[in-house]
Amino acid sequence: MQNHPARLIARKRDGGALSKAEIQDLVSGVVDGSLGDAQLGAFLMAVCCNGMTAEETAALTLAMRDSGRVLQHSQVTRRKIDKHSTGGVGDKVSLLLAPLVAAAGVAVPMVSGRGLGHTGGTIDKLAALPGYRTDLTSERFQQVLEQCGYAMVAPSAEIAPADRRMYATRDISGTVESIPLITSSILAKKLAEGIDGLVMDVKCGRAAFMAPEHDAVALMESLCAVGRAAGIEMAALLTDMDHPLGCALGNSLEVAEVIHALDGNCPDDLREVTLALGVEMLLLAKVAPDAEHARATLVRLWHDGVVHRVFRHNLELQGGDVRVLDDVSLLGRAPFVLPAEAQRAGFVADVDPLALGQLVVDLGGGRRQPSDAIDPHVGIVVKHVLGDAVHVGDVLAFVHARTLAAAQAAVVRVQAAMPVGDERRRRGPLVKRRMA
Ligand code: URA
């Protein structure tokens, strides 16, 4: 590093601003190791407490992007648009959305992440698909993108390496919940994909990382402003994470839900959020004149089986076993499946996404430590939504577990997460706000 790190950290601690060159210097220190762990932790805490200006956040994002390889996809003629979610429970939208918008003529170069805390990750869901490879070389990534319109890969070590170290340090230093740090972490990786535009699905509600609506809106604004400053087109939707998305929670159960959804059997909320994000992607790609046409195109492609065919083609190209499309039992199944039954009559008064997301992690479907192995088959399939009328003994959800004891304990927790009451409550709007 050219600057003395302690001086820069102290300026940030005292609420001052850093120049672009100073931020680039700090990020190069993150990558070459000349910024020590204590210094990095102190810098992150100073940012977390005092924030950053829009210019600083943009400089940090670009320095993190440029800490590694920036993909180009020069052979791909379609507009390249991606979607990123800030993380939810049951959020399997990417698996449906990528083939959906690819079918409409958009290229989707998707570099996805692993699950974080109680939220699932696309890469973990794809790992539940037998044979599916997400460790493609950059060259193969580009070929798959050209041939079927989308490709889904795990981040390689060459993409935004500064984020890897910064994220790991944030995770253990109480500095995850910071708008400039989240903005730069997400956008550095997305900008390195070589995209023309990005649609952000910013979650708000109990199971979101930015639970209160005003924080989530501030994050949307920051993501849109920094993405545009970095030269890509941006749109963002604020979507509800006060309830799980869809019915299946847990990796292979979610993949099975996606396969059924491709054939038209899709839970309403999952369908609505997928279409809403798809519309934004088509608008950014300029392949539809307005939202109404975009939606009509997507509905037709989904209904006519085109999306299913694009998904199949991608499976073939990325090594997945296409037989799962006709027989989801090939995804495998946990040994113990028990029903969680309603213990009184009334209306489903809650479907608590945080409690259910945590339960999936405890069943082995997520990680407590970064090195934990995931059990792809465990999870929960919810059978009722908020406000449904139920009788005593009706199945609220099925739990899928590795042992009988785990299944029995999970049943009790599902019953607590899905209480039954006298009042009929309804879910609020799924898409709460749009920024474009
Ligand atoms: N996802 C990321 O990649 N980074 C964050 O900081 C939060 C969510």
Side-chain angles (χ1 to χ4, degrees), residues 84 86 116 163 167 170 176 181-182 185-186 189:
H84 185 78
T86 54
L116 194 62
D163 181 62
Y167 199 89
R170 285 167 61 205
V176 171
L181 296 179
I182 295 176
S185 167
I186 290 175
K189 289 175 288 202

Side-chain angles (χ1 to χ4, degrees), residues 115-246:
L116 194 62
H118 60 276
T119 68
T122 300
I123 288 302
D124 297 331
K125 299 182 211 295
L126 292 171
L129 262 169
Y132 197 87
R133 301 280 304 264
T134 55
D135 58 345
L136 308 183
T137 61
S138 307
E139 292 67 31
R140 183 69 189 144
F141 182 32
Q142 178 151 321
Q143 283 167 1
V144 175
L145 186 60
E146 276 180 81
Q147 287 172 29
C148 79
Y150 80 98
M152 296 182 130
V153 296
S156 71
E158 0 170 67
I159 298 283
D163 181 62
R164 215 162 259 250
R165 185 165 169 224
M166 289 171 75
Y167 199 89
T169 308
R170 285 167 61 205
D171 209 18
I172 55 165
S173 63
T175 53
V176 171
E177 297 89 351
S178 152
I179 286 176
L181 296 179
I182 295 176
T183 301
S184 52
S185 167
I186 290 175
L187 287 182
K189 289 175 288 202
K190 289 284 143 184
L191 292 169
E193 289 176 352
I195 47 177
D196 303 305
L198 177 67
V199 176
M200 281 300 311
D201 179 6
V202 177
K203 303 285 186 196
C204 77
R206 285 174 290 177
F209 286 116
M210 283 281 151
E213 191 162 327
H214 67 273
D215 288 346
V217 171
L219 178 59
M220 275 175 104
E221 284 166 351
S222 169
L223 287 161
C224 287
V226 172
R228 287 183 188 126
I232 61 167
E233 294 196 52
M234 293 291 305
L237 296 182
L238 186 70
T239 69
D240 174 65
M241 193 28 71
D242 227 14
H243 297 272
L245 197 53

